Amino acid sequence: LTLLTSAGPPPGAGTVHVVWLNFGQYLDWLAGKLRYAVTEWGERVELAPPWKPGEHKALIGPTGLGKTTFAVPILGLRKYVLALDPKGNDSTLSKSGYTRVAELPARGWRSLRGEDQAAWRQIRKDIDEGRPARVIIGGPSRTDEQDNALVRLLSGALTWARHTGGWTVYFDEFELASSQRMMNLRDQIDRMLISARDAGISVVTSYQAQAWVSHHAVRQARKATVWPQDGEMLKAVAQAMGRDWRDVAVACDELPAWHCITVPQGKRGGPMVITRPPDLGG
Ligand SMILES: Nc1ncnc2c1ncn2[C@@H]1O[C@H](COP(=O)(O)OP(=O)(O)O)[C@@H](O)[C@H]1O
Ligand SMILES: [Mg+2]
């Protein structure tokens, strides 16, 4: 049985570089339920390995193209999620419906007081009773004082996540957190990226330009997802992922609105995958 629909692969096509998956298929791929895709000309290609615990992902693209919109359903694949919000109050992140807190759990679960502590008490209960826990950590950032509190909060969250373990940690607007001028959490984040894998913690980062963040973010990632952007920036990502940047650039050039390309690590790491998440609505 063949699924050939057109004249066959274009002349000289030895390797399939790009496949398209609808978003349901895309999530199935990451979850390990879909191992093959069928190309336009009916060729069956093996996809890269699924998204394993401890495996990092990087999402890179200009602001407003849908990084956070993409991140939310991806994080939905994981049972325990800490989404760190350096913007303080990202509206797309809020549409996830995750519990938002501006404080970490106080010492000892039993001494929890106040609104955020009540939220943590519920989170703790959910975990104890086998339900998922997905939490956004981030407070207001309008005054200098609030900015400083936010830095302390995110810094504390990194340490807390490392000690409690088991979380998938998502860093939205990662460049804000890692920039020396802004939050200066780069060293802490790098340590987390390196040590997290052994602890089974996956780190997902999203940011606007490779030049602005630690190269660890993309080098430690098994998969990078990119949106159309400057050629030099794509080059840096492709290089870090061990792919020919021209393959990435050509595919990126053709992307319809709201689509992105996921680039698995390594030339033999499987084809790049184009998909489009649904709008979060609300
Ligand atoms: N896949 C999509 N389909 C339709 N609209 C989208 C999609 N992704 C993003 N958008 C629109 O773009 C806006 C910005 O998306 P967002 O995910 O916040 O971008 P980013 O995080 O890259 O800055 C969203 O509020 C939504 O209206
Ligand atoms: Mg965003």
Side-chain angles (χ1 to χ4, degrees):
L1 181 82
T2 66
L3 294 168
L4 276 182
T5 52
S6 56
T15 324
V16 174
H17 293 302
V18 195
V19 296
W20 180 85
L21 297 179
N22 70 37
F23 201 63
Q25 293 169 328
Y26 185 90
L27 293 178
D28 282 350
W29 166 43
L30 293 189
K33 296 178 197 154
L34 183 74
R35 304 308 299 262
Y36 293 91
V38 178
T39 66
E40 253 182 292
W41 53 86
E43 190 183 349
R44 213 165 100 104
V45 272
E46 188 171 2
L47 296 166
W51 185 31
K52 299 182 196 75
E55 185 181 311
H56 305 330
K57 285 169 75 68
L59 320 178
I60 309 138
T63 197
L65 292 192
K67 295 184 297 297
T68 307
T69 301
F70 176 82
V72 168
I74 302 293
L75 295 170
L77 292 171
R78 292 290 164 89
K79 200 166 175 187
Y80 305 116
V81 174
L82 285 185
L84 309 185
D85 183 1
K87 265 185 172 171
N89 236 327
D90 186 79
S91 59
T92 305
L93 207 47
S94 296
K95 286 182 193 165
S96 64
Y98 301 166
T99 308
R100 189 183 266 283
V101 291
E103 267 179 34
L104 292 173
R107 243 167 303 138
W109 290 99
R110 238 158 261 193
S111 65
L112 302 179
R113 263 183 231 108
E115 208 181 301
D116 283 338
Q117 300 305 329
W120 278 111
R121 221 162 26 230
Q122 181 61 44
I123 290 160
R124 178 65 203 235
K125 190 158 178 269
D126 288 341
I127 294 172
D128 284 347
E129 293 173 4
R131 286 185 294 274
R134 300 191 185 95
V135 188
I136 304 170
I137 300 184
S141 64
R142 261 160 311 185
T143 64
D144 286 350
E145 213 168 290
Q146 289 176 337
D147 280 344
N148 291 335
L150 186 54
V151 176
R152 281 197 303 277
L153 173 67
L154 296 183
S155 166
L158 282 172
T159 309
W160 186 80
R162 214 146 36 94
H163 289 164
T164 52
W167 300 97
T168 293
V169 176
Y170 172 58
F171 237 119
D172 201 54
E173 295 289 333
F174 182 55
E175 64 273 28
L176 288 182
S178 62
S179 132
Q180 227 169 354
R181 273 187 307 107
M182 307 293 285
M183 297 189 161
N184 202 15
L185 298 172
R186 181 181 287 205
D187 289 352
Q188 242 186 304
I189 295 160
D190 281 349
R191 211 176 315 143
M192 172 121 178
L193 283 162
I194 293 163
S195 69
R197 199 171 277 176
D198 296 329
I201 297 178
S202 312
V203 182
V204 182
T205 49
S206 90
Y207 50 95
Q208 293 177 36
Q210 186 55 52
W212 298 347
V213 304
S214 157
H215 286 278
H216 274 303
V218 70
R219 233 178 261 141
Q220 296 278 330
R222 294 260 131 238
K223 296 179 186 74
T225 299
V226 292
W227 284 258
Q229 57 194 284
D230 182 273
E232 285 305 308
M233 295 187 191
L234 273 184
K235 215 171 193 169
V237 176
Q239 241 155 30
M241 298 308 289
R243 310 289 292 223
D244 188 328
W245 73 272
R246 280 159 300 202
D247 293 343
V248 183
V250 165
C252 226
D253 251 9
E254 317 250 299
L255 282 184
W258 309 120
H259 285 65
C260 58
I261 301 186
T262 298
V263 185
Q265 176 85 55
K267 264 209 177 74
R268 278 172 216 87
M272 298 187 283
V273 179
I274 297 180
T275 196
R276 178 206 161 149
D279 193 7
L280 292 175

